[in-house]
C-alpha cells in the first residue's frame, strides 16, 4: 500500500469514527403499565421514538389483562405482542392478576429483582394519583424498586386517560410525537378486544392538549423524579 492509499484509508476511518461518536448511546428503557395497552396509550409515541434511536425498549405489564376466574385465553398477551412489534419493543409480564394487584414486602422484592435484571437506564410508569388500583400498584412497585436500586435509573411518570384514570397530572417535560402518531395509533388499535376506538379518542385529545402546551401538533407529557439521574428524552 502506497502512502496516498494509506492516507485515504486513514481519512475514511477517521470520518467513520467521527460519525460513530456522534451517534446517541444505546440505552435500556422500560415502560411499566398496569395492563396491556397502558404503556402504548400513555407514551406509545415516546416508545416509538426511543426505539427508532436504537434504544432497547421493554414494555413491562403488571398483569395479562385477565381477571381472576376468567380463562387464560391468551388474547391480550397476543395483542400486547403485536403492539410491541409495531413499536419495536419487547413485552414482559410481571404475573399479577388483573384487578387484584398485590403490593407487599414479598412483591416489592420480587419486582425489584425483575427490574434489576433488566438493568434500565430509564423507567416510565403511571403517575401514582390514579383512579385504577392496578395503575397505582405498578407505580408503587416501580418507585420501591427505584429506591432499592439506589435511584440508579431515571424515573419518569406518564398519564393515561387523563381525568378518567390519571388525575392532577402537570407535566414538566414533553416529547413531540406528531410524526409517529400513526404508529402509536396502530399499536393501540392492536388491542382489538379493548374497544380502542373509545379509549384512543380520549388519549388523542390528551396528546393534542399536550401538543398545544409544547407548541406542536401532538405531544406526550412527563414528570421526572428530580432525585434520579438525567436522561435525554427524544
Amino acid at each position: 500500500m502506497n502512502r496516498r492509499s494509506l492516507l485515504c484509508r486513514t481519512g475514511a476511518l477517521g470520518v467513520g469514527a467521527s460519525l460513530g461518536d456522534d451517534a446517541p448511546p444505546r440505552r435500556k428503557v422500560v415502560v411499566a403499565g398496569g395492563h396491556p395497552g397502558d404503556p402504548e396509550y400513555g407514551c406509545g409515541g415516546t416508545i416509538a421514538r426511543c426505539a427508532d434511536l436504537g434504544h432497547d425498549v421493554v414494555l413491562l405489564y403488571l398483569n395479562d389483562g385477565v381477571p381472576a376466574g376468567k380463562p387464560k385465553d391468551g388474547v391480550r398477551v397476543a395483542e400486547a405482542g403485536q403492539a410491541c412489534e409495531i413499536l419495536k419493543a419487547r413485552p414482559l409480564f410481571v404475573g399479577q392478576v388483573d384487578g387484584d394487584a398485590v403490593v407487599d414486602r414479598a412483591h416489592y422484592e420480587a419486582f425489584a429483582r425483575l427490574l434489576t435484571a433488566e438493568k434500565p437506564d430509564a423507567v416510565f410508569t403511571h403517575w401514582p394519583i390514579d383512579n385504577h388500583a392496578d395503575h397505582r400498584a405498578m407505580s408503587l412497585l416501580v418507585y420501591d424498586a427505584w429506591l432499592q436500586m439506589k435511584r440508579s435509573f431515571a424515573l419518569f411518570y406518564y398519564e393515561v386517560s387523563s381525568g378518567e384514570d390519571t388525575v392532577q397530572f402537570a407535566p414538566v417535560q414533553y416529547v413531540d410525537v406528531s410524526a409517529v402518531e400513526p404508529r402509536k395509533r396502530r399499536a393501540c388499535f392492536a388491542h382489538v378486544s379493548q374497544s380502542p376506538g373509545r379509549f384512543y379518542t380520549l388519549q388523542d385529545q390528551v396528546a393534542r392538549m399536550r401538543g398545544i402546551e409544547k407548541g406542536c401538533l401532538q405531544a406526550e407529557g412527563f414528570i421526572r423524579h428530580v432525585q434520579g439521574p438525567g436522561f435525554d428524552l427524544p
Side-chain angles (χ1 to χ4, degrees), residues 24 29 42 44 61 71 73 88 98 140 174 183-184 209 224 229:
V29 177
Y61 306 107
D73 54 16
K88 303 177 185 177
D98 184 10
L140 289 171
Y174 299 86
R183 199 155 120 220
K184 175 183 178 180
M209 176 182 69
R224 184 182 68 82

Side-chain angles (χ1 to χ4, degrees), residues 96 102-116 136-146 148:
Q96 291 213 31
V102 180
V103 179
D104 59 14
R105 181 180 295 275
H107 285 80
Y108 276 141
E109 292 177 353
F111 186 85
R113 288 194 296 270
L114 184 154
L115 200 57
T116 298
R136 297 194 301 271
M138 180 54 107
S139 185
L140 289 171
L141 289 166
V142 170
Y143 184 74
D144 190 80
W146 182 68
Q148 290 192 51

Side-chain angles (χ1 to χ4, degrees), residues 24-42:
R26 181 179 174 86
R27 312 296 292 276
K28 182 64 166 290
V29 177
V30 174
V31 185
H35 319 84
D38 286 332
E40 296 92 316
Y41 279 92

Side-chain angles (χ1 to χ4, degrees), residues 171-192:
V172 294
Q173 292 181 260
Y174 299 86
V175 173
D176 183 348
V177 300
S178 309
V180 293
E181 186 278 331
R183 199 155 120 220
K184 175 183 178 180
R185 179 186 292 267
R186 284 195 294 118
C188 292
F189 272 77
H191 297 276
V192 179

Side-chain angles (χ1 to χ4, degrees), residues 199-212:
F199 288 109
Y200 193 81
T201 297
L202 174 56
Q203 202 62 42
D204 185 64
Q205 292 172 349
V206 173
R208 292 180 184 278
M209 176 182 69
R210 300 307 181 198
I212 291 172

Side-chain angles (χ1 to χ4, degrees), residues 9-23:
R9 183 175 178 180
T10 304
L13 290 174
V15 171
S18 177
L19 290 174
D21 291 343
D22 292 339

